[in-house]
């Protein structure tokens, strides 16, 4: 039995188990759809996908069908899913006629929903009603929509041609066939590579195959029409640029403005003016003459992402001009997959580029930065005494990533406000800044030479980043506690920088050497506290204490004078870049007493124990969070989605998430961590605005006595409870004391609150 056959058998069992668990007799086709959508979500091919079924007039010209849908958070992408499922003990083949029929059905559905007000023909109880209503009436979708992806899902093998994109009244729909082989590949690789048949784009690019003399890669030189690159970006968006080191720089930079100007005024000169595209691929298929490229497997644009994105955005204003644009293209077909990361990084570094590439950009795709980015997208800040508003710290892994997302979310004032509440500008940090935070706190000495320290920070972004990359990064262990400490370092650095002041500050600055003062003073603080600053306290409070802030100010005042009195050079900042300067400060500077900041310091044992306890604490927390989300009935989650729509308190994405969770709970399908995290956010939004939405869950359900009444009273009367909990959370404790019946939902809430209090010393 082959590996794909083993996968198919396991796949069938999962579908059968899911169907058996469904209370409402879900069809095998919908269970199949559900499994496929979960795989596509894990592969980042879609987001917030909801299983929803509707069909009409099958066998006629007006036939339509849909099995699922998704709307991206920025409303620029709509995904449609239609399943062609036939139960079989062995893997069968599906013919092109069946694929074409599925294509007609899903496109007809979109056309009716987007243009034909199909919601008027549906009952509001229909699983697709809300989606259809959104397509027809949402101003956000109408403004932002760039691409519609139609996924044809099948448990069979398909060897035919992929249907070409369809243009429905100016809205292009891209077709993808996800057959059993692609599902198997996704299970192995956790991603779906871009497979291009250039005949579908009606181009036949001539190429020259280069004899590279290397067993690592093969080289090809070609040129492609600008309209082809614009079409690729329109269909695949950022997926095409996953290996690129930067996000689109918009038209702020002179180079991108130059690209736009050339397309608009001299399109035929583009080939001469532009350095072109550097790309990688897994394989390339040539025609019989070996001179024309027919297919490209897993194309990734490494250098030239700015050119590609700019051509797409310019195409909206000058599509005719784009037909005259020719873009040089160099493709490296990587033979050794395990070495692809280093090869891609070096291609970015050494290939001719139009916008300067720096070391931080070249490291953008390092697995460590990818993991930090993931943590930054789902780790919410704690609720604090000063603010009940939780938010994220945004790691700008790819240059301009934050700016582009902000631009996409600035179509309306309400949309921009939601984005900035979620990702405040002052809580964004880059790779350069991350390196500053660490190198100010860490010192590495090898062979009697200090190769990492605050003097590196003073020496500029590039020098400092290289020191961090080469000496700190290899030893980092990325987990939630690492991220908490990282943000605490960021908060400290930003506050010290603010206390030093500038000429524009309300109060006069300490001096004109802030570039030296900030990293040096933080490094001295680490020495004074023996490396035991309480990072956890800073993370939980999302600020440093007033005592610590004042201490750092006074330390910088003294350090400023010390350097003035003891610098052997006229340029103190230049002197601050030297190892000798840091050694002089370490040995001769008298660090102020730390008596005033004892509450900001912990012991080494406490720090070590925190790391030991963190894994078990995280596991406990995740279990409690999952229990709370799943204790809310499926019907209530649907009610939450309706409430979010009518009240305007939930975005389209959040409404779809609520419906998705409702389906998964109803069918007893496992929720992933992202479902739980987003579900908790939605739960808290509802609680702050209209707690009565959960009335049925409070009243109904099996009686649960996990937390005895006397413990609830202790939680309620603890002196810090009123400070730690929000008003609605405190009311839950008050009501729970009075309740004779504690439902499973209420018990899950109490466990969640108990964990929140215990994390703060209860």
């Amino acid at each position: 039995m082959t590996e794909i056959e083993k996968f198919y058998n396991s796949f069938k069992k999962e579908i059968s188990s899911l169907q058996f668990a469904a209370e409402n007799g879900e069809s095998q086709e919908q269970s199949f759809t559900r499994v496929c959508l979960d795989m596509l979500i894990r592969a980042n091919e879609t987001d917030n996908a909801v299983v929803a079924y509707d069909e009409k007039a099958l066998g006629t010209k007006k036939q339509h069908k849909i099995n699922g849908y998704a709307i991206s958070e920025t409303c620029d992408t709509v995904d449609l899913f239609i399943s062609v499922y036939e139960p079989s003990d062995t893997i069968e083949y599906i013919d092109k006629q069946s694929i074409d029929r599925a294509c007609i059905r899903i496109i007809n559905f979109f056309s009716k929903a987007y243009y034909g007000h199909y919601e008027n023909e549906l009952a509001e109880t229909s699983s697709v009603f809300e989606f259809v209503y959104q397509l027809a009436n949402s101003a956000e979708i109408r403004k932002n929509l760039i691409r519609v992806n139609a996924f044809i899902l099948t448990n069979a093998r398909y060897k035919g041609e992929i249907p070409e994109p369809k243009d429905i009244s100016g809205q292009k729909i891209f077709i993808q066939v996800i057959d059993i082989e692609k599902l198997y590949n996704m299970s192995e690789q956790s991603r779906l590579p871009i497979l291009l048949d250039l005949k579908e784009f009606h181009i036949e690019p001539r190429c020259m195959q280069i004899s590279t003399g290397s067993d690592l890669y093969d080289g090809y030189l070609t040129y492609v029409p600008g309209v082809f690159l614009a079409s690729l970006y329109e269909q695949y968006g950022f997926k095409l640029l996953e290996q690129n080191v930067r996000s689109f720089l918009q038209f702020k930079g002179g180079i991108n403005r130059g690209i736009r100007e050339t397309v608009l005024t001299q399109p035929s000169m583009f080939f001469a003016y532009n350095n072109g595209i550097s790309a990688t691929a897994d394989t390339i298929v040539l025609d019989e003459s070996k001179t024309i490229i027919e297919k490209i497997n897993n194309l990734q644009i490494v250098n030239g992402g700015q050119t590609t994105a700019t051509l797409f955005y310019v195409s909206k204003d000058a599509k005719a001009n784009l037909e005259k644009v020719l873009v040089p293209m160099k493709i490296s077909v990587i033979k050794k997959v395990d070495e692809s990361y280093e090869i891609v990084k070096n291609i970015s570094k050494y290939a001719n580029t139009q916008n300067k590439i720096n070391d931080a950009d070249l490291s953008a795709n390092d697995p460590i930065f990818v993991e930090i980015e993931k943590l930054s997208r789902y780790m919410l800040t704690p609720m604090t005494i000063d603010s009940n508003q939780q938010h994220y710290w945004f790691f700008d892994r790819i240059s301009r990533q934050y700016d582009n997302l902000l631009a996409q979310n600035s179509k309306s004032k309400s949309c921009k406000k939601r984005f900035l509440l979620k990702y405040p500008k002052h809580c964004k940090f880059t790779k350069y800044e991350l390196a500053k935070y660490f190198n100010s706190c860490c010192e590495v000495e090898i062979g009697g030479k200090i190769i990492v320290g605050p003097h590196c920070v003073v020496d500029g972004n590039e020098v400092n980043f290289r020191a961090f990359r080469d000496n700190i990064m290899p030893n980092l262990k990325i987990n939630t506690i690492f991220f908490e400490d990282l943000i605490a370092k960021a908060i400290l650095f930003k506050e010290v920088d603010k206390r030093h002041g500038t000429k524009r500050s309300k109060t006069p600055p300490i001096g004109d050497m802030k570039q030296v003062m900030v990293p040096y003073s933080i490094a001295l603080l680490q020495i004074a506290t023996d490396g035991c600053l309480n990072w956890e306290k800073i993370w939980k409070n999302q600020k440093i204490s007033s005592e610590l802030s004042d201490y750092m100010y006074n330390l910088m005042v003294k350090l400023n004078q010390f350097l003035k009195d003891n610098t052997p050079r006229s340029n103190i900042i230049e002197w601050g870049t030297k190892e000798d300067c840091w050694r002089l400060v370490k040995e001769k500077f008298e660090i102020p007493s730390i008596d005033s900041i004892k509450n900001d310091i912990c012991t080494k044992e406490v720090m070590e124990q925190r790391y030991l306890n963190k894994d078990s604490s995280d596991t406990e927390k995740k279990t409690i969070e999952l229990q709370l989300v799943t204790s809310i009935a499926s019907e209530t989650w649907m009610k939450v989605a309706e409430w979010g729509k009518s009240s305007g308190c939930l975005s389209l994405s959040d409404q779809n998430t609520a419906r998705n969770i409702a389906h998964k709970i109803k069918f007893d399908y496992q929720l992933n961590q992202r479902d739980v995290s987003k579900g908790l956010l939605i739960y808290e939004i509802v609680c702050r605005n209209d707690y009565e939405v959960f009335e049925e869950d409070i009243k109904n359900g099996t009686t649960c006595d996990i937390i005895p009444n006397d413990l609830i009273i202790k939680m309620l009367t603890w002196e810090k409870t009123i400070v730690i909990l929000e008003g609605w959370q405190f009311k839950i404790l008050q009501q729970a004391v009075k309740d004779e019946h504690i439902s499973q939902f209420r018990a899950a809430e109490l466990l969640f609150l108990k964990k929140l209090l215990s994390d703060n010393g209860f």
Side-chain angles (χ1 to χ4, degrees):
M1 183 180 291
T2 64
E3 291 302 315
I4 193 171
E5 287 171 336
K6 292 177 184 176
F7 167 77
Y8 184 75
N9 288 337
S10 173
F11 193 68
K12 283 192 306 174
K13 290 177 182 176
E14 185 175 2
I15 293 168
S16 298
S17 299
L18 187 57
Q19 185 195 20
F20 181 76
E23 296 176 1
N24 65 344
E26 182 177 71
S27 67
Q28 276 198 345
E29 183 177 90
Q30 284 303 80
S31 295
F32 164 74
T33 305
R34 198 173 297 282
V35 174
C36 290
L37 294 195
D38 196 54
M39 293 179 69
L40 287 165
I41 289 170
R42 289 199 299 267
N44 293 318
E45 291 296 322
T46 189
D47 192 22
N48 296 327
V50 176
V51 176
Y53 183 77
D54 184 64
E55 66 172 37
K56 184 173 280 189
L58 298 188
T60 71
K61 287 185 178 180
K62 295 184 178 180
Q63 62 185 321
H64 79 239
K65 179 184 173 185
I66 187 171
N67 293 86
Y69 67 87
I71 302 174
S72 67
E73 277 196 44
T74 55
C75 294
D76 65 344
T77 303
V78 167
D79 294 330
L80 310 169
F81 303 95
I82 183 170
S83 295
V84 184
Y85 179 80
E86 293 294 337
S88 174
D89 290 334
T90 58
I91 300 175
E92 305 288 346
Y93 283 90
I94 186 171
D95 57 26
K96 190 174 187 301
Q97 185 179 3
S98 299
I99 295 296
D100 288 340
R101 184 165 53 245
C103 186
I104 290 169
R105 288 174 175 176
I106 195 69
I107 289 173
N108 282 351
F109 173 86
F110 177 78
S111 182
K112 288 179 185 179
Y114 196 70
Y115 298 106
H117 286 281
Y118 179 51
E119 76 274 15
N120 296 329
E121 302 177 36
L122 291 169
E124 290 194 18
T125 55
S126 168
S127 60
V128 298
F129 176 81
E130 185 57 37
F131 175 55
V132 171
Y133 182 86
Q134 289 172 357
L135 284 182
N137 299 286
S138 168
E140 285 185 78
I141 292 177
R142 295 281 165 170
K143 284 182 181 178
N144 298 347
L145 188 60
I146 293 175
R147 64 188 65 83
V148 178
N149 297 316
F151 292 85
I152 301 173
L153 312 173
T154 176
N155 63 322
R157 274 192 174 104
Y158 180 61
K159 296 297 183 183
E161 294 181 353
I162 306 299
E164 292 189 1
K166 310 297 180 184
D167 196 304
I168 307 297
S169 300
Q171 182 61 60
K172 192 171 285 187
I173 302 178
F174 299 98
I175 315 298
Q176 293 195 54
V177 178
I178 309 296
D179 67 350
I180 193 65
E181 289 189 348
K182 286 186 178 178
L183 290 169
Y184 168 69
N185 290 334
M186 268 197 294
S187 71
E188 293 291 301
Q189 303 172 16
S190 298
R191 66 187 301 271
L192 198 61
I194 296 173
L195 305 176
L196 299 178
D197 187 339
L198 300 193
K199 291 179 182 177
E200 296 174 5
F201 295 90
H202 308 292
I203 63 170
E204 295 182 340
R206 292 190 171 276
C207 76
M208 178 188 300
Q209 188 168 0
I210 307 300
S211 178
T212 64
S214 171
D215 59 354
L216 296 178
Y217 75 102
D218 290 328
Y220 297 84
L221 293 177
T222 186
Y223 60 90
V224 293
V227 70
F228 166 69
L229 290 174
S231 298
L232 284 185
Y233 190 85
E234 179 183 22
Q235 180 172 358
Y236 296 105
F238 188 70
K239 184 183 175 185
L240 183 69
L241 312 176
E242 285 176 343
Q243 296 288 357
N244 202 278
V245 295
R246 290 175 302 198
S247 188
F248 178 52
L249 298 176
Q250 302 178 3
F251 296 116
K252 295 178 181 178
I255 297 299
N256 290 348
R257 283 199 298 271
I259 293 172
R260 177 182 172 85
E261 189 66 23
T262 301
V263 173
L264 293 176
T265 61
Q266 296 177 288
S268 60
M269 295 302 296
F270 197 93
F271 185 90
Y273 293 165
N274 190 272
N275 284 347
I277 303 294
S278 292
T280 61
D282 289 348
T283 57
I284 280 182
V285 177
L286 304 177
D287 70 345
E288 292 182 358
S289 69
K290 304 297 182 185
T291 60
I292 293 176
I293 299 176
E294 292 185 338
K295 296 180 180 180
I296 305 176
N297 177 16
N298 196 20
L299 179 71
Q300 281 287 300
I301 293 176
V302 179
N303 276 347
Q306 309 305 314
T307 296
T308 305
T310 302
L311 289 174
F312 166 72
Y313 287 107
V314 174
S315 68
K316 297 178 179 180
D317 302 322
K319 191 168 185 179
N321 285 25
L322 217 60
E323 300 282 353
K324 303 174 186 177
V325 168
L326 294 177
V327 185
M329 191 171 189
K330 177 176 67 176
I331 306 175
S332 301
V333 176
I334 310 299
K335 294 180 181 179
K336 295 190 176 181
V337 179
D338 57 337
E339 297 183 36
S340 62
Y341 170 71
E342 282 300 321
I343 295 173
V344 168
K345 188 171 76 171
N346 286 331
I347 290 173
S348 293
K349 184 175 182 179
Y350 298 119
N352 290 327
T353 57
Q354 293 178 305
N355 288 298
K356 183 179 180 293
I357 297 287
N358 51 48
D359 281 340
D361 285 336
L362 292 171
S363 300
N365 293 311
D366 190 287
I368 285 177
F369 288 137
V370 173
E371 287 303 309
I372 295 174
E373 180 188 39
K374 288 179 182 177
L375 287 170
S376 77
R377 299 303 189 267
Y378 80 78
M379 277 193 68
L380 273 169
T381 58
M383 287 178 289
T384 66
I385 297 173
D386 297 331
S387 172
N388 290 328
Q389 180 67 50
Q390 293 177 280
H391 60 267
Y392 298 93
W393 279 76
F394 190 101
F395 177 45
D396 208 30
R397 177 176 67 86
I398 298 173
S399 182
R400 300 278 183 176
Q401 200 173 6
Y402 181 90
D403 292 342
N404 289 333
L405 282 175
L406 177 59
Q408 291 173 28
N409 284 275
S410 297
K411 307 297 182 183
S412 67
K413 287 184 178 179
S414 59
C415 187
K416 183 177 181 179
K417 183 179 179 181
R418 279 201 305 269
F419 180 84
L420 290 175
L421 283 174
K422 189 175 182 180
Y423 302 114
K425 282 187 177 181
H426 70 276
C427 292
K428 179 198 80 168
F429 62 101
T430 66
K431 297 180 290 294
Y432 281 138
E433 288 167 327
L434 187 153
K436 286 181 181 180
Y437 306 151
F438 268 91
N439 289 2
S440 297
C441 297
C442 304
E443 182 179 288
V444 177
E445 183 172 349
I446 297 179
K449 181 176 177 60
I450 301 175
I451 57 174
V452 176
H455 58 293
C456 298
V457 181
V458 183
D459 207 9
N461 285 337
E462 293 296 330
V463 171
N464 186 61
F465 182 81
R466 283 195 292 272
F468 168 76
R469 179 197 62 196
D470 297 340
N471 302 288
I472 302 294
M473 270 180 64
N475 301 314
L476 294 179
K477 180 182 178 182
I478 311 301
N479 53 28
T480 56
I481 196 168
F482 161 86
F483 188 78
E484 290 177 4
D485 287 358
L486 164 61
I487 300 308
K489 290 178 174 70
I491 292 169
L492 174 65
F493 193 98
K494 288 173 180 285
E495 176 62 20
V496 173
D497 185 89
K498 182 180 177 182
R499 283 304 304 267
H500 183 282
T502 65
K503 292 179 180 178
R504 295 181 180 179
S505 305
K506 291 182 180 179
T507 56
I510 292 172
D512 55 2
M513 297 183 293
K514 184 170 76 167
Q515 187 176 338
V516 179
M517 292 298 106
V518 175
Y520 269 61
S521 63
I522 292 174
L524 289 170
L525 176 67
Q526 284 292 89
I527 293 172
T529 60
D530 196 21
C532 291
L533 192 67
N534 193 336
W535 299 116
E536 185 179 20
K537 179 182 176 182
I538 298 174
W539 160 257
K540 286 183 175 179
N541 293 327
Q542 287 295 292
K543 66 177 184 179
I544 65 174
S545 68
S546 58
E547 293 82 5
L548 181 56
S549 179
D550 290 341
Y551 177 86
M552 296 304 292
Y553 180 84
N554 293 328
L555 190 156
M556 284 189 288
V557 169
K558 292 183 178 180
L559 179 61
N560 185 71
Q561 191 60 49
F562 175 85
L563 284 174
K564 283 183 176 180
D565 296 339
N566 293 276
T567 300
R569 303 188 183 188
S570 58
N571 190 328
I572 299 179
I573 292 178
E574 183 185 345
W575 170 237
T577 67
K578 307 302 180 184
E579 177 189 350
D580 289 344
C581 178
W582 172 234
R583 286 193 181 277
L584 173 69
V585 170
K586 280 177 62 178
E587 294 169 6
K588 302 294 184 181
F589 179 72
E590 186 177 343
I591 302 175
S593 168
I594 58 173
D595 288 345
S596 63
I597 59 169
K598 284 189 175 178
N599 290 334
D600 295 293
I601 304 169
C602 59
T603 64
K604 287 191 180 293
E605 290 74 23
V606 167
M607 294 190 80
E608 291 171 0
Q609 194 61 42
R610 178 180 172 229
Y611 281 87
L612 291 173
N613 293 341
K614 187 64 178 178
D615 289 340
S616 59
S617 177
D618 280 349
T619 302
E620 180 189 6
K621 184 181 179 185
K622 287 177 182 178
T623 302
I624 291 171
E625 290 174 345
L626 175 63
Q627 188 174 340
L628 176 53
V629 173
T630 54
S631 70
I632 301 170
S634 172
E635 296 79 9
T636 305
W637 277 112
M638 292 301 290
K639 188 177 176 182
V640 165
E642 293 300 320
W643 170 86
K645 172 192 167 187
S646 61
S647 66
C649 291
L650 294 181
S651 66
L652 293 178
S653 176
D654 288 340
Q655 293 170 38
N656 288 334
T657 296
R659 291 188 185 90
N660 200 20
I661 292 173
H663 281 290
K664 287 190 175 184
I665 290 175
K666 186 171 185 178
F667 298 132
D668 197 26
Y669 198 60
Q670 185 176 359
L671 271 65
N672 56 44
Q673 185 57 43
R674 195 173 185 281
D675 292 329
V676 175
S677 297
K678 295 195 77 172
L680 271 177
L681 279 177
I682 294 169
Y683 158 78
E684 290 176 358
I685 291 171
V686 178
C687 289
R688 291 188 187 105
N689 291 277
D690 190 357
Y691 187 71
E692 290 182 4
V693 171
F694 299 116
E695 186 176 6
E696 293 300 316
D697 295 283
I698 297 168
K699 292 179 180 178
N700 302 329
T702 309
T703 300
C704 189
D705 58 355
I706 295 175
I707 298 185
N709 202 57
D710 60 340
L711 180 55
I712 300 173
I713 294 172
K714 286 182 181 179
M715 292 163 63
L716 187 61
T717 56
W718 186 46
E719 67 272 13
K720 293 184 181 180
T721 297
I722 193 69
V723 177
I724 296 168
L725 299 186
E726 291 188 54
W728 62 269
Q729 292 172 321
F730 193 77
K731 286 179 182 178
I732 290 174
L733 292 179
Q734 288 178 315
Q735 188 59 47
V737 173
K738 302 173 186 177
D739 288 340
E740 295 181 6
H741 165 76
I742 299 291
S743 66
Q744 288 186 337
F745 167 69
R746 178 49 61 81
E749 286 188 306
L750 294 173
L751 280 174
F752 181 76
L753 295 178
K754 178 177 176 290
K755 175 62 177 169
L756 184 59
L757 293 176
S758 64
D759 285 346
N760 286 275
F762 177 70

